[in-house]
Amino acid sequence: VRLHALHIADSAALQQRQRVAELCGRPLIEAFHYRFHPVFEQALALLQGGAIGDVQRMQAHFNIGIRDAPGELRYAPELGGGALMDLGCYPLHWTRVVAGCEPEVQRASAKWHVTDVDTAMVASLQFPNGVHADIACDMSRDLPHVVDAALVVFGSSGELRLENPLAPHNGYSLTLRRGVDVQDIAVAGDRRSTYWCQLQHVKAVLDGTQRQYTGGADAINTMRAIDAIYAQARD
């Protein structure tokens, strides 16, 4: 289940749920549905296979206009609202998965709504393996209600750009650039819904044939990074 939907607003609350899952002998899987799709898996395989050399830095964003209408949970702080919680958690997770380790938040700044939720957030992250990432999200109501999401990874010998890592089944582009050579990569199974792929993963975890991609420990680290970004933005 998406942690946002459970109204989990900090890492301490999530740790309690992880302990309950462990006591019950059940997996706690965070529903970052993009992670289970073959398009993101192909992008990750290219990066881990050295397609652009050593990863050096990343840029990632997720923007979509959301009206501050009555009952809209994204504008309700008591329900874990805010651009970072609802949108920015994705570019944060994309960069954490690619880097393979946990970041230190160097800088963060936000735009705040009258309800005290963030309508936009930018943050600079430094990973212990030397990789730097800049992430951004924006849900300002004057933006079009259209998904604008991308991950760009720069390496020592190239660049990998993934447009719409969030929901590639609705359209995406995966482009590998090395010098003057540019390759557009098609991925088998790309029209499968991310949610369908996620369901297959959950079934495989439950029957013991696959390990979890986004388990409780990963979810706790996501929330710790989110907590740190908010702390920097409010400092």
Side-chain angles (χ1 to χ4, degrees), residues 48-85:
Q48 292 176 341
I52 61 170
D54 296 328
V55 173
Q56 297 176 334
R57 60 186 179 92
M58 293 179 272
Q59 296 173 346
H61 71 268
F62 179 13
N63 306 321
I64 184 171
I66 300 174
R67 294 177 54 243
D68 53 344
E72 174 53 71
L73 66 88
R74 295 165 184 85
Y75 286 88
E78 70 277 10
L79 298 179
L84 178 60
M85 282 287 287

Side-chain angles (χ1 to χ4, degrees), residues 162-173 190-191:
L162 175 54
E163 297 284 346
N164 196 17
L166 178 78
H169 56 279
N170 290 330
Y172 74 98
S173 65
D190 56 359
R191 296 308 176 193

Side-chain angles (χ1 to χ4, degrees), residues 16-60:
Q16 294 177 351
R17 285 153 178 82
Q18 172 66 3
R19 285 194 289 270
V20 171
E22 291 172 351
L23 288 172
C24 295
R26 295 290 186 268
L28 177 64
I29 304 174
E30 186 171 10
F32 274 120
H33 54 97
Y34 84 90
R35 178 63 184 87
F36 312 101
H37 196 272
V39 167
F40 192 86
E41 291 186 335
Q42 178 63 54
L44 192 59
L46 287 167
L47 294 170
Q48 292 176 341
I52 61 170
D54 296 328
V55 173
Q56 297 176 334
R57 60 186 179 92
M58 293 179 272
Q59 296 173 346

Side-chain angles (χ1 to χ4, degrees), residues 77-124:
E78 70 277 10
L79 298 179
L84 178 60
M85 282 287 287
D86 195 69
L87 310 180
C89 60
Y90 285 96
L92 172 62
H93 202 261
W94 302 335
T95 59
R96 288 180 53 247
V97 170
V98 171
C101 50
E102 302 308 321
E104 176 184 347
V105 180
Q106 294 186 314
R107 295 179 302 279
S109 61
K111 295 179 182 178
W112 302 100
H113 190 260
V114 292
T115 60
D116 200 39
V117 301
D118 54 305
T119 57
M121 182 74 75
V122 295
S124 293

